[in-house]
Amino acid sequence: MWSKLGVEHDAFFMTDMNYNPVATGGFNTTLRDFARVGLAMANNGAYNGEQVFSEKWVKDSFTITKEENTHMMNSVYKNADGVVFDPHLEGYKNFLWVHDSDKNIATFRGVFGQFLYINQEKNVVIATFSSADSASNAARETSKARVQAFESLAESL
């Protein structure tokens, strides 16, 4: 998959002592290569004429079932009085935080402020890196403002 994206650099996964990838912060790449992942997702898995990810998997990732939405609606992310409230989230699936499954808008989010915003309807991809003071994107007000900026930029196009 990585070579099909025409990447400029190798990517790395942090692993435990059994070589299992570490969740929530174990993937390392460059910003441009990260953006290529988003471009493939925006194009149903295709990039530069290559099918990098299964089209079925990409479409499934953006599709939130009623049960998945119910889980999100009952989570801390939908408690308007809570510190991690996120009005943009409809569901979470295949590492993708889905904002709108009808328009195929979602983000991949990394700890300490990494975001990969994908908006298939507007054909917009925005990749950002950061080095925030805390790991939790959901609890950081600057992350909420960043997602709102992504949404506003995409809507203006």
Side-chain angles (χ1 to χ4, degrees):
M1 285 188 288
W2 205 239
S3 65
K4 288 181 179 181
L5 287 170
V7 297
E8 297 174 15
H9 303 282
D10 289 337
F12 300 93
F13 274 101
M14 292 186 335
T15 64
D16 63 19
M17 57 198 254
N18 294 317
Y19 300 103
N20 296 310
V22 174
T24 66
F27 179 65
N28 298 274
T29 187
T30 63
L31 185 63
R32 288 170 62 134
D33 290 343
F34 191 40
R36 286 177 173 91
V37 171
L39 290 170
M41 292 295 290
N43 291 291
N44 288 317
Y47 181 82
N48 276 348
E50 295 266 5
Q51 194 66 39
V52 179
F53 309 121
S54 157
E55 183 175 353
K56 181 180 177 185
W57 179 82
V58 173
K59 287 181 176 182
D60 180 62
S61 296
F62 280 104
T63 303
I64 298 299
T65 66
K66 189 172 195 160
E67 182 181 3
E68 290 161 341
N69 180 255
T70 297
H71 287 299
M72 179 58 72
M73 296 311 289
N74 291 324
S75 76
V76 296
Y77 298 106
K78 300 314 280 184
N79 176 358
D81 296 325
V83 69
V84 297
F85 173 68
D86 191 328
H88 300 285
L89 295 179
E90 182 180 315
Y92 178 78
K93 188 175 196 175
N94 297 341
F95 309 104
L96 197 62
W97 296 89
V98 178
H99 302 215
D100 187 325
S101 60
D102 292 328
K103 296 178 181 179
N104 291 352
I105 302 171
T107 51
F108 287 116
R109 301 176 181 196
V111 297
F112 296 100
Q114 283 58 252
F115 281 92
L116 184 58
Y117 173 84
I118 303 148
N119 183 323
Q120 279 192 341
E121 181 186 66
K122 297 286 188 171
N123 196 29
V124 171
V125 172
I126 302 170
T128 64
F129 281 174
S130 178
S131 55
D133 292 336
S134 66
S136 175
N137 287 322
R140 195 175 321 103
E141 287 301 319
T142 55
S143 292
K144 295 172 186 180
R146 186 177 298 183
V147 172
Q148 186 57 50
F150 300 157
E151 296 283 348
S152 294
L153 282 168
E155 280 302 312
S156 72
L157 300 175

